[in-house]
Protein backbone atom coordinates (compact mmCIF):
# COMPACT_ATOMS: atom_id res chain seq x y z
CA UNK A 1 0.00 0.00 0.00
CA UNK A 2 1.13 3.54 -0.64
CA UNK A 3 0.39 5.87 2.25
CA UNK A 4 2.24 8.72 0.53
CA UNK A 5 3.62 9.04 -3.01
CA UNK A 6 7.12 8.31 -1.67
CA UNK A 7 6.22 5.55 0.80
CA UNK A 8 5.39 1.90 0.16
CA UNK A 9 4.11 -0.17 3.09
CA UNK A 10 3.75 -3.93 3.39
CA UNK A 11 1.33 -5.83 5.63
CA UNK A 12 0.26 -9.43 5.91
CA UNK A 13 -2.72 -10.20 3.69
CA UNK A 14 -6.00 -9.51 5.50
CA UNK A 15 -4.38 -7.18 8.03
CA UNK A 16 -5.09 -3.45 8.09
CA UNK A 17 -5.48 -0.66 10.59
CA UNK A 18 -9.21 -1.31 10.46
CA UNK A 19 -8.91 -5.03 11.33
CA UNK A 20 -6.39 -4.19 14.04
CA UNK A 21 -8.70 -1.58 15.55
CA UNK A 22 -11.58 -4.05 15.49
CA UNK A 23 -9.47 -6.63 17.33
CA UNK A 24 -8.31 -4.08 19.91
CA UNK A 25 -11.78 -2.83 20.84
CA UNK A 26 -13.02 -6.43 21.17
CA UNK A 27 -10.22 -7.14 23.63
CA UNK A 28 -10.99 -3.94 25.57
CA UNK A 29 -14.75 -4.46 25.55
CA UNK A 30 -15.36 -1.18 23.74
CA UNK A 31 -18.24 -0.67 21.32
CA UNK A 32 -17.60 0.48 17.78
CA UNK A 33 -19.98 3.36 18.58
CA UNK A 34 -17.37 4.64 21.05
CA UNK A 35 -14.54 4.79 18.50
CA UNK A 36 -13.13 7.86 16.79
CA UNK A 37 -10.37 7.18 14.28
CA UNK A 38 -8.18 9.96 12.93
CA UNK A 39 -5.81 9.64 10.00
CA UNK A 40 -4.44 11.39 6.95
CA UNK A 41 -3.26 8.75 4.49
CA UNK A 42 -4.55 5.90 2.35
CA UNK A 43 -3.30 3.35 4.88
CA UNK A 44 -5.63 4.93 7.47
CA UNK A 45 -8.78 4.52 5.38
CA UNK A 46 -9.85 1.10 6.71
CA UNK A 47 -9.53 2.38 10.28
CA UNK A 48 -11.43 5.59 9.51
CA UNK A 49 -14.22 3.66 7.79
CA UNK A 50 -14.44 1.18 10.68
CA UNK A 51 -14.87 3.80 13.40
CA UNK A 52 -18.22 5.28 14.27
CA UNK A 53 -16.66 8.69 13.65
CA UNK A 54 -14.03 8.73 10.92
CA UNK A 55 -11.90 11.87 10.84
CA UNK A 56 -9.12 13.04 8.60
CA UNK A 57 -6.62 15.79 9.02
CA UNK A 58 -6.89 19.00 7.01
CA UNK A 59 -3.63 18.14 5.25
CA UNK A 60 -4.99 14.82 3.91
CA UNK A 61 -5.62 14.27 0.21
CA UNK A 62 -8.93 15.33 -1.29
CA UNK A 63 -9.62 11.63 -1.98
CA UNK A 64 -9.50 10.79 1.74
CA UNK A 65 -11.40 13.94 2.74
CA UNK A 66 -14.31 12.93 0.51
CA UNK A 67 -14.71 9.59 2.34
CA UNK A 68 -14.80 10.65 5.99
CA UNK A 69 -17.39 11.92 8.44
CA UNK A 70 -15.39 14.97 9.54
CA UNK A 71 -12.32 16.91 8.43
CA UNK A 72 -10.36 18.59 11.20
CA UNK A 73 -7.52 21.10 11.09
CA UNK A 74 -4.01 20.18 9.93
CA UNK A 75 -1.34 18.33 11.88
CA UNK A 76 0.49 21.59 12.49
CA UNK A 77 -2.66 23.35 13.78
CA UNK A 78 -3.66 20.91 16.54
CA UNK A 79 -6.21 19.02 14.47
CA UNK A 80 -6.32 16.02 16.81
CA UNK A 81 -6.78 18.24 19.88
CA UNK A 82 -9.67 19.99 18.15
CA UNK A 83 -11.39 16.65 17.52
CA UNK A 84 -10.97 15.68 21.18
CA UNK A 85 -12.37 19.03 22.31
CA UNK A 86 -15.34 18.85 19.93
CA UNK A 87 -16.35 15.20 20.14
CA UNK A 88 -15.07 14.02 23.52
CA UNK A 89 -14.81 16.87 26.01
CA UNK A 90 -18.09 18.53 24.98
CA UNK A 91 -19.95 15.27 25.62
CA UNK A 92 -18.69 14.90 29.21
CA UNK A 93 -21.19 16.36 31.69
CA UNK A 94 -19.77 19.10 33.87
Amino acid sequence: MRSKPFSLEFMEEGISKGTSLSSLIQQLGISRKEVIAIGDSNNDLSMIEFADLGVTMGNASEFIKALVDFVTDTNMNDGVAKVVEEFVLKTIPV
Side-chain angles (χ1 to χ4, degrees), residues 39-55:
D40 65 355
S41 298
N42 292 346
N43 67 337
D44 297 318
L45 191 54
S46 65
M47 171 183 68
I48 292 168
E49 290 175 333
F50 172 81
D52 187 56
L53 177 63
V55 179

Side-chain angles (χ1 to χ4, degrees), residues 13 22-23 40 47 53 55 60 70-71 74 82 84 87 92:
E13 188 174 350
S22 175
S23 177
D40 65 355
M47 171 183 68
L53 177 63
V55 179
F70 185 78
V71 178
T74 65
K82 291 175 181 176
V84 171
F87 296 101
I92 299 173

Side-chain angles (χ1 to χ4, degrees), residues 11-27 32 43-51:
M11 289 178 260
E12 185 176 333
E13 188 174 350
I15 302 297
S16 68
K17 289 186 179 185
T19 59
S20 298
L21 183 56
S22 175
S23 177
L24 176 64
I25 69 167
Q26 286 176 9
Q27 291 175 28
R32 187 175 177 177
N43 67 337
D44 297 318
L45 191 54
S46 65
M47 171 183 68
I48 292 168
E49 290 175 333
F50 172 81

Side-chain angles (χ1 to χ4, degrees), residues 80-94:
V80 172
K82 291 175 181 176
V83 170
V84 171
E85 288 173 353
E86 180 68 23
F87 296 101
V88 178
L89 298 180
K90 284 188 178 180
T91 63
I92 299 173
V94 181

